[in-house]
Amino acid sequence: MTAMVKSEGVHKSFGQVEVLKGIDLEVNTGEVFCLIGPSGSGKSTFLRCINHLEKINAGRLYVDGYLVGYRQKGDKLYELKDSEVALKRRDIGMVFQRFNLFPHMTAVENVMEAPIQVKGVKKADARDRAMELLERVGLGDKAKNYPSQLSGGQQQRVAIARALAMDPKLMLFDEPTSALDPELVGDVLDVMRDLAESGMTMVVVTHEMGFAREVGDSLVFMDGGVVVESGNPRDVLTDPQHERTKSFLSKVL
Amino acid sequence: MTDKLDKSPSDTPPPGDSVSAGAASGPAPETIKAIPVRHYGRWISGVIVVALLVALGIAFSQGNIQWHTVSDQLFVSSVVQGAGRTLLISILAMIVGVVLGILLAVMRLSKNPVTSTVAWLYIWFFRGTPVYVQLLLWFNLALIFPVLNLGPIYKNNMTDVMTPFMCALLGLGLNEAAYMAEICRAGLLAVDEGQTEAAQALGMSHTKTLFRIVIPQAMRVIVPPTGNEFINMLKTSSLVYAVTYNELLRSTSAIGSTSYAVMEMLFVASIWYLAMTSVFSVFQYYLERYYARGSSRSLPPTVFQKIKANLIGLGSERGKG
Ligand SMILES: Nc1ncnc2c1ncn2[C@@H]1O[C@H](COP(=O)(O)OP(=O)(O)OP(=O)(O)O)[C@@H](O)[C@H]1O
Ligand SMILES: [Mg+2]
C-alpha cells in the first residue's frame, strides 16, 4: 500500500509554544486513520498542517507523494505560491467541528459553490452533482434550506457533502461530532461509515471510541505534541501499552 | 377565571399514557377575560404631550407665515431641480465613498504594512477634519495649484477642473470614504474566521473567498449603518452650498432672499429633505431584509405584510374585547 499522508518529524510552534514536537506517522491509501488524545495535544493543529492551513516549522509532510506547501529542488525548499497551495487543497476535503457552512447560501448552494468557483464546473452540472451528494447524506429534501434552518447533525452532513463535491482523495475530519447533541451523532457517523466503506482515505480526530474501534484501520494516541502510541484501534483501545494512554482511556471510556 | 385555573390541575389526567386523548376530548379552555391594569401614568404623559403639540400648532398658525407660499414654491422648477441635484450629488458621493471605503478597509486589513499605513493615514486625515473645511479646501485648490498638470495625460486650469460639482463630489465622497472604510472594516472583521478557512480548505483563492464568502456576509453588518450614512449624506450635502453648487438649499435660499420669504423657503427645503429621507428609509428596510437572508430562520416581514398583520391583529383584538 502507498502512503496518502506521510509525516516525518513534523514540528509546529506558535510563537514560543511548541505544539507539535516531531510527529512521525503514515496514513495508507484507503484506510480510516483515527487520531485521539487529550485537549491541547495538537490534534487539530496536525490536521490543519496536512492541508497547509498551518505552516510547519521543521520536518517533512507529504500528501499523495507531494511535499505540503513547498517544492524541493536539490536540497533547497521553495515556498509554493498561494495558487499552487489552493490547487493542492482541492484534493483534500476538510470537515470542521463547528461545520463552517456558508450561512448566506442554501444547502445545495453550499455544495455547488466550490466546484463552480474553483473547478469551473457548469452551474447545472454542479447542481445535479450537489443534489446527488445531498441524497447520499440523506438530505435531499433539505436542499433549499439555509444552514440556520438545519439541525447541527444536518449541517454537518451538508458540510461532508460540500467537501465530497470536490472529489477529494483524502478527507480530514476534526471532531465532526463533538458539537452535536448525542442523538444527532449517529446520523453523521453513519455517513462517515458509508464513506469509509466506499474506500475513501480518512483522517479522523475523534472522541468517539466506538467509531474508532468499529471503523478505524489505524489509531494514534497523541499527547503533548508527540505520538505516544499507535496501532490497530481494537488493540490500542482494549490493551493500551503506555501509562498516558491508559489514564486517558480510563477517563473517556 | 381564577377558579378555572385552580380547578384545571385536578381536571387534567395524570401525565403519561392518555395525555393526548385527554387534551383532545376535554372542553376547550375558556378565554381569559380580565380587567386590564390601568396605566394612569401613560394617560397623564399622553395628555401633556398632546397639549404641547396643540400649543405648538397654534403658535405656528398665528406666526407670520405665508403657508400658500410654501405650497406654491414646493414644485417650482428651480426647487425641483435643486432637489434633483441634492439627490444626484448624494448618490454619487455615496458611490465614491462605498467603493473607496471597501478598498480602504481591505487595505487596512492587508498584511502589507505600507498599504495598511496609507489607509490608516487617509482615514486619520479625512475623519479628523470637518467636511466643511474639506469642501473649502477643494474649492480653493486653485489658489495653490493654478494649473492641474498630470504630465502628458492631462493639463488644464484648476478652476476649469474644480467646478462646483467636482468640489462637492470630491469633498463629500472622499470624506465619506473614511467613514465607510471603518464601517466596512468592522463588517469584514465580524465574519467568522472559520468561513475563510472553510473556503480555503475547498481550494478557493483569496480573491474568490473575499468576494464570494466574506463580503456577502459582511454586508449584513455593513448595510444598516451605510443606510444611515446615506440619510446623513442627503442632509450633509446641504453644506455644498458653500462651494456654490446649486443643490436644494441653495436653490430655495435664492428664492427666499429675493422674495423675502426666508422661512417659507426653508420649510420648502425641509419638506423635500424629509420626503427624500423617508422614501429612502423604506428602501433601506428592503435592502437589509435581502442581506439578512440565511442569518435568521425566517425573514422579517415586508412593510405591507406588517401593515396587513397589524390590521388583522387590530380586528381580532376588537373582536375579542
Ligand atoms: N493559532 C494559534 N495560536 C496560538 N496557539 C495556538 C493556535 N492554535 C492552537 N494553539 C495552541 O496549540 C495547542 C494545541 O491546540 P490544538 O487545537 O491542536 O489541540 P487539540 O488537540 O485539537 O485539542 P482539542 O481536543 O481541545 O481540540 C493548544 O495549546 C492551543 O492553545
Ligand atoms: Mg481540536
Side-chain angles (χ1 to χ4, degrees), chain A residues 14 17 19 37-46 54 97 174-175 205 207:
Chain A
F14 292 107
V17 189
V19 176
S39 181
S41 56
K43 308 179 298 288
S44 300
T45 306
F46 181 68
E54 304 287 357
Q97 183 172 356
D174 191 356
E175 302 194 30
V205 174
H207 290 302

Side-chain angles (χ1 to χ4, degrees), chain B residues 64-83:
Chain B
N64 186 11
I65 304 164
Q66 292 165 314
W67 290 106
H68 64 91
T69 316
V70 174
S71 54
D72 288 350
Q73 299 291 328
L74 199 54
F75 295 106
V76 166
S77 73
S78 74
V79 172
V80 174
Q81 273 175 15

Side-chain angles (χ1 to χ4, degrees), chain A residues 136 189-199:
Chain A
R136 183 168 163 194
L189 291 183
D190 285 344
V191 168
M192 290 171 63
R193 198 171 287 128
D194 281 351
L195 198 57
E197 271 161 23
S198 76

Side-chain angles (χ1 to χ4, degrees), chain B residues 218-242:
Chain B
M219 288 307 267
R220 196 166 55 82
V221 179
I222 292 174
V223 164
T226 303
N228 293 339
E229 286 294 309
F230 183 70
I231 286 174
N232 252 331
M233 177 67 85
L234 279 169
K235 297 178 294 174
T236 311
S237 70
S238 62
L239 289 180
V240 306
Y241 186 110

Side-chain angles (χ1 to χ4, degrees), chain B residues 46-115:
Chain B
V47 167
I48 292 174
V49 169
V50 168
L52 287 174
L53 280 179
V54 168
L56 193 69
I58 291 171
F60 267 87
S61 65
Q62 288 177 350
N64 186 11
I65 304 164
Q66 292 165 314
W67 290 106
H68 64 91
T69 316
V70 174
S71 54
D72 288 350
Q73 299 291 328
L74 199 54
F75 295 106
V76 166
S77 73
S78 74
V79 172
V80 174
Q81 273 175 15
R85 286 204 194 90
T86 286
L87 199 60
L88 178 75
I89 197 70
S90 301
I91 290 173
L92 291 180
M94 203 63 203
I95 291 172
V96 170
V98 168
V99 172
L100 199 56
I102 291 179
L103 185 73
L104 284 166
V106 173
M107 279 171 73
R108 269 215 70 182
L109 293 174
S110 92
K111 290 190 192 101
N112 184 337
V114 178
T115 49

Side-chain angles (χ1 to χ4, degrees), chain A residues 9-245:
Chain A
V10 166
H11 284 256
K12 171 70 194 174
S13 307
F14 292 107
Q16 296 295 310
V17 189
E18 195 172 28
V19 176
L20 300 179
K21 301 169 183 165
I23 303 284
D24 293 291
L25 53 82
E26 258 182 51
V27 180
N28 290 322
T29 303
E31 80 171 338
V32 176
F33 188 98
C34 296
L35 213 54
I36 63 170
S39 181
S41 56
K43 308 179 298 288
S44 300
T45 306
F46 181 68
L47 217 55
R48 293 159 53 81
C49 289
I50 295 178
N51 67 359
H52 206 53
L53 284 174
E54 304 287 357
K55 265 196 188 117
I56 64 175
N57 301 113
R60 292 283 188 278
L61 192 53
Y62 299 89
V63 171
D64 204 23
Y66 290 97
L67 207 52
V68 173
Y70 303 94
R71 185 188 302 109
Q72 191 156 17
K73 266 196 197 149
D75 54 357
K76 277 210 180 101
L77 284 186
Y78 297 87
E79 265 187 42
L80 292 185
K81 281 185 280 184
D82 285 348
S83 57
E84 293 169 310
V85 173
L87 203 63
K88 287 278 185 285
R89 283 191 186 130
R90 292 182 187 192
D91 295 336
I92 307 173
M94 186 158 191
V95 175
F96 300 86
Q97 183 172 356
R98 288 177 52 245
F99 331 133
N100 294 351
L101 288 181
F102 307 133
H104 57 302
M105 299 180 186
T106 59
V108 66
E109 286 167 353
N110 263 279
V111 182
M112 293 158 64
E113 180 68 9
I116 293 174
Q117 297 298 327
V118 179
K119 286 189 169 169
V121 175
K122 280 209 211 75
K123 206 169 172 184
D125 298 342
R127 185 177 293 276
D128 291 346
R129 182 75 211 294
M131 285 309 300
E132 212 173 276
L133 286 166
L134 286 176
E135 296 286 353
R136 183 168 163 194
V137 298
L139 291 173
D141 55 333
K142 300 285 182 191
K144 292 227 169 71
N145 288 49
Y146 284 98
S148 60
Q149 299 164 327
L150 299 173
S151 76
Q154 292 169 337
Q155 289 188 52
Q156 193 60 298
R157 285 184 280 155
V158 174
I160 294 173
R162 177 176 72 173
L164 290 177
M166 293 297 285
D167 297 312
K169 294 179 201 150
L170 168 67
M171 286 282 283
L172 310 175
F173 292 84
D174 191 356
E175 302 194 30
T177 57
S178 327
L180 300 180
D181 290 339
E183 75 267 25
L184 301 175
V185 169
D187 291 340
V188 173
L189 291 183
D190 285 344
V191 168
M192 290 171 63
R193 198 171 287 128
D194 281 351
L195 198 57
E197 271 161 23
S198 76
M200 176 66 74
T201 314
M202 296 161 64
V203 180
V204 186
V205 174
T206 187
H207 290 302
E208 295 292 330
M209 298 306 159
F211 176 84
R213 185 174 317 175
E214 213 184 300
V215 185
D217 298 303
S218 319
L219 180 139
V220 155
F221 170 70
M222 271 176 74
D223 192 9
V226 293
V227 172
V228 175
E229 186 163 355
S230 61
N232 183 295
R234 283 155 293 275
D235 299 342
V236 179
L237 292 176
T238 43
D239 184 23
Q241 299 300 311
H242 290 259
E243 268 319 307
R244 280 198 275 175
T245 321

